[in-house]
Amino acid sequence: MSSKSTGLRHWRQRFNALFQDHEIFIRTHGHVRFLRISAVWQKRVALIAGVVLLAWAGATLAVLINQLLTADERAAVAQQQAAAAASEKRIAQYRDRVAETAADLEERQALLEGVAETHFGIDAEAMAAQPAAAADAAKAEPLQTSAIDPNLPPEAQALARLEARQERFASRLLAAVNIRAANAEDAVAQLGLNPAAIVRSAAAGRGGPLIPYKGRMGKAKALGASFAALEGALFRMEVLERTLVAVPSGNPADVLMMSSGFGYRSDPFTGGAAMHSGLDFRGPIGTPILAAAPGRVSFVGAKSGYGNVVEVDHGQGIMTRYAHLSGFTSKVGAQVAAGQQIAKMGSTGRSTGSHLHFEVRLNGVAVNPRRFLEAKADVLEVKNDARQRVGAITARGAR
Ligand SMILES: [Zn+2]
């Protein structure tokens, strides 16, 4: 016999000892009754009580476990909610960032389109794509593009890439504009004018008619380095190219001989020294007189000494005067092209014979027209480029 079964019997004996047959006396109204409770019965009751107790304990445990599980779940839900809130905050930040970037992009785009329309007609993109401009842009300082945050969602990164492309475009546009401005500056200097003084004077608002200068350039600095630099470069290009266009380099009459030069000479009437403020062209009466540059006819009539006079305002402070005329073919306010007939040669006023007296005035001061009429081919080429660009804008503006 094993010690295990011996132990079991010992426990059973102890258990059985708890339950012994009992007899209980119950006395009711003088009668005595015996109530016998057997050990077997007691055991059954104890067993049932035990089972009930166990069942109750089990149920309680189950409820407790259930409650613990629910707490776990509740914690999980809370965690999920916190995550959702955090993600929502992140999304809100991302949305703000995207909205901000989109607004920036829109502003830059409007600026670029404004520049393209104001300064180049539509062809700004084509102009920026010129090989020379592209090469110059490549030589220029490394691009100052906004760094693309790798933590941004893909959509925001796409916007950031667009932003970088836009700034690259502005940088190439800047290079192209700088090339044009440099060429114009060179040509203006070759014509004996002072480019720096012209730009300074224009910037101070004293330089002739207003240059169409739209766009919200005030905000340019906030939009990136290239955009800020573009502002100054465009202004320089515009002023210098318009000056080139205004320069009267066209022959005012289809005659070759210049009978009298600019400067001090002996007066044909008094014989004394007198300032001759223009050039004289000798030719038959009625020879067509041509506008030396595009502009607006600002005076038609007689002036003391000059006889019949036509004056043309070319803008940028440049004016031409045509004197001793025999007749007019233009009216005040008319827009004339370079080479367009405005009058007829004559001998009115202080004149000794049929000739044209041709004057160029820069901000009211007579200058020698010879340097404009004898402009070199390379200068005229730059001037022609400028005329095409400015002409395209003017035509668009007039429409
Ligand atoms: Zn003269």
Side-chain angles (χ1 to χ4, degrees):
M1 205 169 274
S2 70
S3 60
K4 198 178 174 184
S5 60
T6 313
L8 199 68
R9 195 167 55 210
H10 165 75
W11 276 110
R12 189 180 285 166
Q13 275 167 3
R14 284 194 66 171
F15 179 74
N16 286 338
L18 284 174
F19 304 99
Q20 287 171 9
D21 290 348
H22 293 283
E23 281 177 352
I24 296 166
F25 297 88
I26 297 170
R27 192 175 157 176
T28 314
H29 305 300
H31 297 280
V32 174
R33 286 197 296 160
F34 293 96
L35 196 64
R36 192 168 174 272
I37 302 169
S38 69
V40 173
W41 219 88
Q42 285 177 46
K43 279 179 198 168
R44 272 183 199 154
V45 168
L47 205 68
I48 287 164
V51 165
V52 166
L53 200 73
L54 264 174
W56 175 80
T60 304
L61 199 70
V63 167
L64 206 72
I65 285 168
N66 190 42
Q67 271 179 349
L68 277 173
L69 276 179
T70 309
D72 255 8
E73 275 170 10
R74 221 178 276 138
V77 166
Q79 219 165 22
Q80 277 173 355
Q81 278 173 342
S87 141
E88 214 165 288
K89 197 179 162 196
R90 218 178 111 247
I91 287 168
Q93 281 173 345
Y94 151 58
R95 206 180 286 132
D96 282 355
R97 175 67 201 258
V98 166
E100 203 178 292
T101 308
D104 274 2
L105 285 175
E106 219 168 294
E107 179 110 4
R108 284 161 188 244
Q109 197 58 42
L111 202 95
L112 285 174
E113 279 167 14
V115 165
E117 204 178 307
T118 308
H119 301 276
F120 301 102
I122 287 289
D123 241 7
E125 196 140 359
M127 203 200 77
Q130 277 171 12
D136 201 78
K139 269 186 287 169
E141 285 171 40
L143 274 176
Q144 291 246 320
T145 53
S146 323
I148 297 168
D149 185 351
N151 296 322
L152 284 176
E155 298 90 330
Q157 285 193 33
L159 282 181
R161 270 196 297 277
L162 205 59
E163 197 177 328
R165 264 182 65 192
Q166 230 179 26
E167 195 147 324
R168 198 155 54 234
F169 173 71
S171 167
R172 291 172 73 183
L173 186 63
L174 172 65
V177 167
N178 274 333
I179 288 171
R180 285 195 80 106
N183 288 343
E185 182 177 7
D186 196 47
V188 164
Q190 281 199 54
L191 288 168
L193 302 171
N194 184 341
I198 289 169
V199 173
R200 251 203 321 278
S201 146
R206 292 181 274 115
L210 273 177
I211 290 156
Y213 203 55
K214 300 172 205 154
R216 294 168 290 174
M217 290 303 189
K219 285 188 174 178
K221 277 185 177 59
L223 296 176
S226 299
F227 283 84
L230 202 52
E231 183 184 0
L234 283 168
F235 186 74
R236 238 165 63 84
M237 178 193 76
E238 201 65 60
V239 169
L240 294 172
E241 285 203 351
R242 276 173 188 267
T243 300
L244 271 185
V245 173
V247 157
S249 56
N251 221 343
D254 198 12
V255 289
L256 289 174
M257 203 177 71
M258 269 185 284
S259 61
S260 195
F262 180 90
Y264 286 95
R265 62 168 189 184
S266 78
D267 188 280
F269 288 91
T270 66
M275 171 70 187
H276 187 231
S277 55
L279 295 179
D280 288 351
F281 294 78
R282 205 179 290 277
I285 286 189
T287 301
I289 302 303
L290 317 171
R296 193 183 63 87
V297 176
S298 54
F299 182 85
V300 175
K303 275 194 176 177
S304 171
Y306 287 104
N308 291 329
V309 173
V310 170
E311 287 176 0
V312 179
D313 181 0
H314 304 285
Q316 310 307 120
I318 298 175
M319 184 266 267
T320 50
R321 180 177 287 161
Y322 312 79
H324 310 308
L325 307 169
S326 64
F328 309 114
T329 62
S330 59
K331 286 183 172 135
V332 170
Q335 285 289 333
V336 291
Q340 185 177 329
Q341 187 181 351
I342 51 174
K344 291 172 184 171
M345 197 181 280
S347 190
T348 53
R350 260 166 59 108
S351 173
T352 53
S354 176
H355 80 287
L356 166 72
H357 172 86
F358 176 61
E359 253 179 58
V360 176
R361 285 182 180 265
L362 190 61
N363 297 317
V365 178
V367 295
N368 191 347
R370 195 182 275 268
R371 52 179 149 169
F372 304 128
L373 296 177
E374 292 174 356
K376 289 188 187 121
D378 56 340
V379 171
L380 290 177
E381 202 179 307
V382 178
K383 180 185 158 95
N384 193 45
D385 266 6
R387 201 186 63 217
Q388 278 179 7
R389 187 186 65 77
V390 173
I393 306 162
T394 312
R396 284 169 54 79
R399 228 181 281 149

